[in-house]
Amino acid sequence: MVRALLVAFALVWGSLGSAAAAAPRAQPSGVPTAAVCGGSSVGPGIAPPARVPSGIPDFHAAWYGQSGYPTLCPGERSNAVVAYYNSGSRGWVKGRMGEVAYLGTWNGDPGQDEPTVLGGNGEMGSPQTGWPRFNRVALQPSDYVGPAQVAWFQFTIQAPERPGFYRLYIRPLVEGAAWMEDVGVYWQVTVLNPDGTPPAGRISSRVPAPIDDTAPAWAPAELDNVGFTQPPESGIVLSGGTKGNWTSAWVLTRFPFSQLIPSWIADTPAGSWIEVEIQTRSAAGRETRWWRMGIWASGDETIRRTSINGQSDADGVVETDTFKTRAEKMTAYRARVTLSRSTATGAPPVLRRVYAVASDTRSYTPRYPSPRYTDRAMELSVPRYSQEIHAGEFPQYDGGGEAWCSPTSTEMVVEYWNKRPSASDMAWVGPYADPQVDYAARYTYDAAYRGTGNWPFNTAYASHFGLEARVVQLGSLNDAERFIVAGVPLIASISHAPGALPGFLNNAGTSGHLLVIVGFTASGDVIANDPAALSNATVRRVYGREAFERAWIGGSGGVAYRIGNTVVP
C-alpha cells in the first residue's frame, strides 16, 4: 500500500510541478539579463511513514507524505501536495460544517489562523493564490474521505518579493469541530535574491504589520517661489525673497493608516529655517486641515526649533512629532514644506529629502518572539555614552540625565559613522565630559515639547553631518537583524511596565526611552548600547529577545531612527 501511494504521490506532484514550471513569470522592465533570477527548483518529496494509527474514535489524521520544498524567485509560484491518512473512526464530508476537513495555518509560523505572505485568498494582506480562505490552506479534494483513506490536499505557494527562508506550518482540522493531530508539518520556501543567489536569513511568513515607509516625489508638485536644485533630484531651494513653499502630490498608502510620522533632511544656513506640514485624505476623498509638524533649523541662532501644541479636531491629533487619526483612518497624505530666511540676501535653505512612515499598528497584534533572521552572534562597534553622567547639565536643554536618552543615542550612532561636531563647535560646553552629548542635546531640543526626544528633530540633527537619516517603523526584531547584518545600528524607542525588561536601569519601567540596537547574541537576545547607565563602561547591555521585542514593538510600534548611507536589502 505504501509503495502504491508513493507512486500516486509522484504522479500527482509531477503533473502539478510541470504545470507550475510551464507558467511564464513576468520580469520587471529594464532589469539586465545577467541579474534575472533563474535558479528555481523543487526538492525531493518526503515519503510517508511505514505505519500509521487507525480507527481512533472521532476525528483524527496522520501525516502521510508531502511534496518537496521549493526554491523560488521573487513572485514565482509553486504547487504543493500533502497527504493525510484518516486515522479516525469518522469520515470527512465536504460541504458539511462540523465534518469537512481543511488544512489551517499553524504555529510556529505564521501562527494559528494567521494570514501568511506565502498564499491566501487576497484578504488580510495575503496574496491571491486560490486558497479557500486566508488562513485555510486547502480543502479536502474529494467529497468523502472515509476512515483508513488518504486525502491529497493541494495548494499553491507564492514567493514573496523579499528574499529569505520562509516556513509555512500547517495542521489539519475538521471545521467547526476540532483540530486534528499536529506533528509539526511545514513547508520551507527559499526565496532567492533577484540575481538568483541564495538569501541571507530567515523571514517570518506571517503577513507583516501594516507599515509603509514612503517619500513623496519632488514632482509633480506645487512650487511657490521655490525651484529645483542642480541636479534637480538633490532638492528644493528658495528662489528669491524670504519665503516660498513646495507642496507634494498626494501619496496613496498601501492601506488605510492611523498614524503618520514625517521626517526630513534640510540645509538651513544661519538666518534660515523650514516648516513641515502634512494634510491627510480619507477613502471618500475628504481632505483634512493642514497639520503643522515642526519648525526646524539645524542651529538656534535665528528661530527656536519647535513642535506645535494644541492641534486636535474630529479627524485627528498631533502628538509632538506624530499625527494620529481618530476613528476614521486615512488613505493618502501630502506634504508642504515652507522655506524661509530672515533677509532676501541671506543664504537660502535647501530641502534635501522628505519622508513619512504610515502605519496602522493599532489594528495589528504582534506575536512574540519573532523568528531569528540568523543564528550567528553579531555586534557592531558603536561608541558608548551614558546619559546619566550629564544629570543637571544645561537646564535650558532639559537638564541631562534620563531626559537625554534620545540625543545620547543619536550621537553614538553619528560617531559610529565617523562623524561628530568639531572642537570649535563644542567650545561653549565647557568642562563637562563627553561634550558632544551636550551638543546633540542642544541641537535636538524642542522648545514646545521642552525636551530632546522629538524623533524627526533627532534624525534631522544626524543628517546635518551628511548622513541619510529618517524615522522608520519596523515590525519585529527579525527586521532589525537585517540592519545589523548590513552594518547599520538602529535607535529604538521603547516603553515598558515595571520589571518588564530585566536588566534595565530603572526597575520602575519607562513611558518612553531610546537606546541603540548594536547586535544580537547567538541565542537571539538583543545587545544594546543603553544610555540609561551610570557610566560609559556600563552602557552595553543584553536584553532578552521577547522582553525587548514587547517593549519596542508593543511600546512604540517599532519606531526607530535609521541613520547611515548603507543600503539594507
Side-chain angles (χ1 to χ4, degrees):
M1 179 180 178
V2 170
R3 184 173 181 178
L5 284 170
L6 275 172
V7 171
F9 180 87
L11 288 172
V12 170
W13 168 245
S15 64
L16 288 169
S18 60
R25 184 167 51 86
Q27 299 289 349
S29 61
V31 176
T33 303
V36 173
C37 176
S40 57
S41 63
V42 177
I46 304 172
R51 292 184 179 84
V52 290
S54 186
I56 305 171
D58 217 338
F59 292 116
H60 293 275
W63 173 84
Y64 210 65
Q66 67 187 71
S67 55
Y69 298 148
T71 296
L72 303 172
C73 297
E76 195 171 28
R77 293 187 173 195
S78 176
N79 293 315
V81 182
V82 61
Y84 273 97
Y85 176 87
N86 185 342
S87 57
S89 63
R90 299 181 62 181
W92 307 337
V93 184
K94 184 186 286 187
R96 188 177 296 174
M97 180 61 70
E99 296 184 58
V100 58
Y102 285 90
L103 300 181
T105 55
W106 192 248
N107 304 318
D109 211 14
Q112 181 179 348
D113 288 330
E114 293 290 346
T116 172
V117 295
L118 295 173
N121 66 345
E123 296 178 353
M124 301 295 290
S126 68
Q128 173 54 269
T129 61
W131 293 8
R133 293 196 295 281
F134 67 86
N135 58 7
R136 294 293 178 262
V137 178
L139 168 68
Q140 64 179 74
S142 56
D143 291 336
Y144 181 76
V145 180
Q149 293 183 336
V150 176
W152 301 82
F153 292 89
Q154 304 166 21
F155 55 96
T156 299
I157 290 170
Q158 178 171 304
E161 291 302 316
R162 176 177 290 176
F165 299 102
Y166 296 79
R167 282 192 176 185
L168 171 65
Y169 281 81
I170 59 173
R171 183 175 177 179
L173 72 152
V174 171
E175 196 72 78
W179 287 91
M180 293 185 283
E181 280 73 5
D182 172 29
V183 293
V185 178
Y186 66 86
W187 255 260
Q188 176 143 313
V189 181
T190 300
V191 181
L192 300 170
N193 290 308
D195 62 358
T197 57
R202 291 184 292 270
I203 307 291
S204 173
S205 67
R206 189 186 183 207
V207 168
I211 297 170
D212 197 4
D213 195 6
T214 70
W218 291 135
E222 298 175 17
L223 306 179
D224 179 8
N225 200 35
V226 296
F228 296 105
T229 58
Q230 295 301 320
E233 63 272 11
S234 65
I236 302 293
V237 62
L238 187 63
S239 299
T242 59
K243 182 180 290 188
N245 60 64
W246 165 85
T247 306
S248 76
W250 285 99
V251 178
L252 303 178
T253 54
R254 294 186 290 105
F255 48 80
F257 63 87
S258 56
Q259 178 174 285
L260 190 77
I261 308 170
S263 51
W264 56 86
I265 297 175
D267 300 336
T268 54
S272 70
W273 66 95
I274 65 170
E275 178 173 356
V276 178
E277 300 169 276
I278 61 166
Q279 184 181 34
T280 60
R281 190 172 69 190
S282 70
R286 184 178 57 81
E287 299 176 4
T288 68
R289 62 186 277 186
W290 282 98
W291 303 94
R292 302 176 69 192
M293 302 306 297
I295 299 171
W296 183 86
S298 58
D300 54 12
E301 65 279 344
T302 305
I303 56 105
R304 299 182 73 199
R305 190 181 312 104
T306 187
S307 54
I308 294 90
N309 293 328
Q311 300 181 78
S312 176
D313 65 14
D315 290 319
V317 59
V318 173
E319 296 180 357
T320 304
D321 45 23
T322 304
F323 168 72
K324 296 183 177 181
T325 69
R326 301 294 191 189
E328 184 180 17
K329 298 173 186 177
M330 299 293 157
T331 59
Y333 78 91
R334 60 177 176 169
R336 181 169 67 194
V337 181
T338 301
L339 290 77
S340 302
R341 58 185 169 184
S342 299
T343 65
T345 57
V350 180
L351 178 65
R352 299 292 184 185
R353 298 280 191 279
V354 177
Y355 307 103
V357 56
S359 63
D360 187 32
T361 54
R362 73 186 185 193
S363 65
Y364 183 85
T365 303
R367 295 182 70 239
Y368 307 111
S370 61
R372 292 293 315 279
Y373 182 75
T374 175
D375 291 328
R376 65 185 176 91
M378 48 192 172
E379 183 173 358
L380 304 178
S381 297
V382 178
R384 298 169 187 166
Y385 295 129
S386 162
Q387 68 195 37
E388 301 298 333
I389 67 171
H390 297 276
E393 297 173 7
F394 297 102
Q396 65 269 42
Y397 306 127
D398 207 16
E402 67 178 31
W404 282 7
C405 59
S406 186
T408 307
S409 297
T410 299
E411 188 59 32
M412 285 192 257
V413 176
V414 166
E415 294 190 24
Y416 168 78
W417 296 109
N418 296 314
K419 308 286 186 179
R420 64 182 293 167
S422 67
S424 60
D425 289 335
M426 298 184 289
W428 58 272
V429 175
Y432 296 128
D434 300 333
Q436 61 270 45
V437 172
D438 301 77
Y439 181 92
R442 173 178 174 178
Y443 291 106
T444 56
Y445 185 76
D446 176 344
Y449 179 65
R450 296 182 180 179
T452 58
N454 184 303
W455 293 332
F457 284 11
N458 275 263
T459 55
Y461 165 82
S463 72
H464 183 61
F465 295 93
L467 297 167
E468 290 284 336
R470 64 183 184 271
V471 179
V472 298
Q473 282 181 264
L474 301 181
S476 68
L477 281 173
N478 181 279
D479 291 334
E481 285 178 280
R482 292 188 298 111
F483 284 81
I484 302 303
V485 168
V488 179
L490 290 167
I491 299 171
S493 176
I494 67 170
S495 62
H496 59 86
L501 186 61
F504 188 66
L505 179 65
N506 186 353
N507 195 51
T510 176
S511 60
H513 177 65
L514 289 111
L515 48 68
V516 188
I517 300 174
V518 301
F520 292 85
T521 67
S523 60
D525 291 335
V526 177
I527 305 173
N529 278 11
D530 190 343
L534 299 180
S535 67
N536 290 351
T538 57
V539 163
R540 184 186 185 274
R541 302 286 176 83
V542 176
Y543 292 121
R545 185 181 185 88
E546 182 170 343
F548 186 92
E549 199 159 28
R550 288 181 181 276
W552 180 36
I553 305 301
S556 68
V559 168
Y561 306 165
R562 189 259 192 254
I563 299 170
N565 302 340
T566 300
V567 175
V568 178

